[in-house]
Amino acid sequence: MSKNSPIADVVMHPVRLRIIQQLGTRQVTTADLRAAMPDVPQATLYRHVAALVEADILAVVEERRVRGAIERTFTLGGRMAHVDQAELREMSEQELRQSFLTFIAHLGETFDRASTSDADGDYRDFLGFGEVQLHVTTADLSEIQARLSELLAPYLSATGPEHRTVTFATALIPEPPRRA
């Protein structure tokens, strides 16, 4: 996979989505990734990290020698892990369905990990999900997205030990046009 590959081809894999989620807005080492994803074989993890680096989804920000090996530290790269509208339009119906199902599966896996590994039992204090139907124009939706980005911007970086990381997922699914 090269930097010219569509982002969806690169990130729409469960292991790669988990790697991207581990980074969020922070920096992680390969050792951090191995510790956070013990169910993924090391060779598989490294192969997916390499694909993400090659596609500029991850960037290497530091390399240091640890016991004779090179330990790399990663952050999200220049392309970021987001499928934009142009790429969504280029997908076939099958690719679009597969990408959405991968997203939903990853969200379910994130939920499962949170609900089964919360030692102090307070994850429900942070948990919420729901669905609401909005009645918008294209301009309205554009404004909502811009204001939501502005609202969330201060919370995209961890600033102290009292902060807890939560996953905030969105899905915009337009209803099909109504037939007369």
Side-chain angles (χ1 to χ4, degrees):
M1 274 171 221
S2 70
K3 291 182 183 182
N4 297 327
S5 297
I7 283 184
D9 289 350
V10 180
V11 302
M12 288 303 174
H13 183 284
V15 173
R16 292 183 191 147
L17 284 171
R18 288 177 61 194
I19 292 168
I20 292 165
Q21 181 190 25
Q22 289 300 317
L23 271 84
T25 57
R26 61 194 180 107
Q27 296 181 1
V28 298
T29 65
T30 47
D32 295 332
L33 290 172
R34 283 193 320 271
M37 301 170 63
D39 57 312
V40 177
Q42 183 173 333
T44 300
L45 180 66
Y46 286 177
R47 186 175 63 249
H48 287 294
V49 166
L52 291 169
V53 168
E54 182 181 347
D56 197 28
I57 303 299
L58 300 185
V60 178
V61 293
E62 181 183 351
E63 291 183 333
R64 64 186 181 98
R65 188 164 295 281
V66 177
R67 293 185 300 272
I70 299 294
E71 177 77 346
R72 298 188 302 171
T73 301
F74 303 97
T75 190
L76 285 178
R79 289 182 70 191
M80 301 302 281
H82 178 74
V83 180
D84 65 20
Q85 288 298 316
E87 288 181 307
L88 284 172
R89 282 190 205 96
E90 290 177 12
M91 288 182 191
S92 70
E93 256 184 67
Q94 181 63 28
E95 289 171 326
L96 186 60
R97 280 191 183 104
Q98 183 61 43
S99 295
F100 185 73
L101 291 174
T102 301
F103 168 77
I104 295 297
H106 176 67
L107 192 59
E109 183 181 342
T110 301
F111 175 84
D112 287 346
R113 273 196 320 273
S115 64
T116 59
S117 66
D118 191 40
D120 56 11
D122 72 344
Y123 89 99
R124 288 186 189 213
D125 295 341
F126 292 89
L127 180 65
F129 48 89
E131 180 179 321
V132 63
Q133 291 183 338
L134 305 175
H135 305 279
V136 299
T137 65
T138 303
D140 294 336
L141 187 54
S142 186
E143 179 183 356
I144 290 168
Q145 289 174 319
R147 291 175 69 188
L148 187 56
S149 292
E150 183 181 323
L151 175 69
L152 296 177
Y155 307 103
L156 296 177
S157 324
T159 56
E162 72 279 4
H163 288 92
R164 181 156 180 186
T165 300
V166 299
T167 297
F168 182 81
T170 60
L172 295 173
I173 306 170
E175 285 189 9
R178 295 186 182 164
R179 297 184 188 217

